[in-house]
Amino acid sequence: MSHDFHFNGLSPDEKVVELHTHSNISDGLESPEKLMQRAKRAGVRAISLTDHDTVAGLPRASAEAKRLGVEFIPGIEFTCDHLGRSVHLLGHFIRPDAPRLAAQIKARGSARVERMGEIIERLNHSGLRLDKEDFFAVYADSPSITRGQLGAYMLKKGFARSREEVFEKYIGDSAPCYVELNTLTPFDALELIHDAGGAATLAHPLLSGCDDVIPALAEAGLAGIEVEHPSQDADAQFHYRKMAEEYGLLCMGGSDCHGVPHKQDRLGQFSQPLRLLLELSKRAKTRRTVT
């Protein structure tokens, strides 16, 4: 895949790059096309779609971005486990048709369906009485079924008043109906991303509480860590900038946009400079040359 960009008239410091977004192919609210259209209106000039454990939305997003004159970077977000903690790795500049990547995505899809069935059974045992068949019928066309979709379904059916309530009371990591996802280690995901020609970066590290694994991931070829993210305040950003400097990692950032339910739109609010995209592309090329 060519990483040649065309940003006529823009300086390398121009903040017009959005590297962390989700569509309704995983747990976002909007189609890949609508997401690209909103990005264009927000002034984004380059964007990556990073749906959870799937690349199914990339062709549609890429085609719409091309139509709009927006540069597109194929991406993915892998859900991983490190010592019982959920760790998320972003892959950018990946080849979506890479054989090992495709095989793992297929396995992830099956694991997610099985896990979601178990969560719904636990919810029913708690007295909520969700219709499992109806839920899977609603999301029959989704290649990556997540707790975000279940949360949206529960809100629609009146089982809770907010997404926060759904996760805190029922399906969050520490909630009674949570079921752990049979998943990859971050090192497995790192290897898959490299095998697919991409650059791997660590998403929202504060949410994961996984600082201890960053040195080993950096040694294994991690390209960057997400410094600017809605979950990370100024103190957290300072902390992760220092870690990035210590381990030679890029300071990443992105909105982690899932759509606009009832909160302020985040798309474009955490855009990164062009020079970061160019450096990330360079690291992906270097990794492909090495492997």
Side-chain angles (χ1 to χ4, degrees):
M1 172 166 300
S2 172
H3 299 168
D4 297 326
F5 301 110
H6 305 284
F7 298 114
N8 297 333
L10 293 179
S11 77
D13 293 323
E14 199 83 23
K15 291 190 173 184
V16 290
V17 179
E18 172 62 85
L19 292 169
H20 191 170
T21 67
H22 298 278
S23 75
N24 62 6
I25 299 299
S26 65
D27 61 344
L29 297 175
E30 301 169 319
S31 69
E33 292 85 357
K34 186 173 182 181
L35 182 64
M36 296 302 109
Q37 293 161 14
R38 286 207 304 111
K40 173 74 172 182
R41 292 196 297 270
V44 173
R45 294 290 298 273
I47 187 169
S48 183
L49 177 62
T50 53
D51 276 326
H52 294 283
D53 300 321
T54 181
V55 295
L58 297 185
R60 291 168 55 185
S62 178
E64 183 65 6
K66 182 177 181 181
R67 186 186 74 81
L68 296 168
V70 175
E71 297 282 353
F72 185 75
I73 302 98
I76 192 169
E77 182 172 0
F78 274 118
T79 304
C80 310
D81 176 80
H82 174 66
L83 302 177
R85 286 170 289 170
S86 182
V87 177
H88 290 218
L89 250 64
L90 295 167
H92 294 101
F93 299 106
I94 58 170
R95 295 189 304 270
D97 59 350
R100 288 181 61 197
L101 181 70
Q104 187 58 233
I105 286 172
K106 184 177 180 180
R108 293 297 89 223
S110 298
R112 283 186 173 278
V113 169
E114 182 178 345
R115 174 220 200 182
M116 201 56 57
E118 292 179 15
I119 291 177
I120 292 174
E121 287 180 9
R122 290 193 181 187
L123 288 166
N124 286 337
H125 288 155
S126 75
L128 291 191
R129 297 293 180 261
L130 272 75
D131 187 331
K132 183 161 66 172
E133 290 186 5
D134 181 62
F135 170 79
F136 281 115
V138 169
Y139 293 102
D141 295 329
S142 176
S144 182
I145 296 180
T146 72
R147 285 180 292 167
Q149 288 148 320
L150 179 58
Y153 180 85
M154 290 174 68
L155 286 177
K156 186 176 181 180
K157 297 297 182 179
F159 290 109
R161 291 169 294 181
S162 68
R163 184 179 185 277
E164 289 75 18
E165 182 184 350
V166 168
F167 276 79
E168 289 174 11
K169 194 173 180 180
Y170 299 111
I171 63 174
D173 289 5
S174 301
C177 298
Y178 173 75
V179 174
E180 186 175 342
L181 180 63
N182 180 19
T183 188
L184 304 165
T185 73
F187 298 96
D188 294 332
L190 189 76
E191 185 179 344
L192 279 170
I193 291 166
H194 289 167
D195 182 73
T201 62
L202 182 63
H204 43 66
L206 185 66
L207 288 178
S208 299
C210 61
D211 288 12
D212 59 309
V213 77
I214 291 176
L217 285 173
E219 181 68 22
L222 190 72
I225 51 178
E226 203 165 44
V227 172
E228 296 184 7
H229 183 271
S231 68
Q232 295 175 180
D233 62 15
D235 289 341
Q237 290 182 26
F238 177 80
H239 170 69
Y240 288 114
R241 284 188 192 281
K242 294 291 287 184
M243 286 201 77
E245 180 181 349
E246 182 177 357
Y247 295 106
L249 301 170
L250 298 176
C251 293
M252 305 294 294
S255 69
D256 200 359
C257 174
H258 284 71
V260 192
H262 26 257
K263 293 187 176 181
Q264 184 178 3
D265 184 11
R266 301 192 307 215
L267 190 61
Q269 297 302 305
F270 293 82
S271 291
Q272 300 299 301
L274 286 174
R275 55 180 164 74
L276 174 63
L277 180 63
L278 298 175
E279 181 59 33
L280 188 65
S281 171
K282 187 186 302 182
R283 295 202 181 192
K285 287 180 180 178
T286 300
R287 175 56 56 180
R288 291 185 69 180
T289 301
V290 170
T291 57

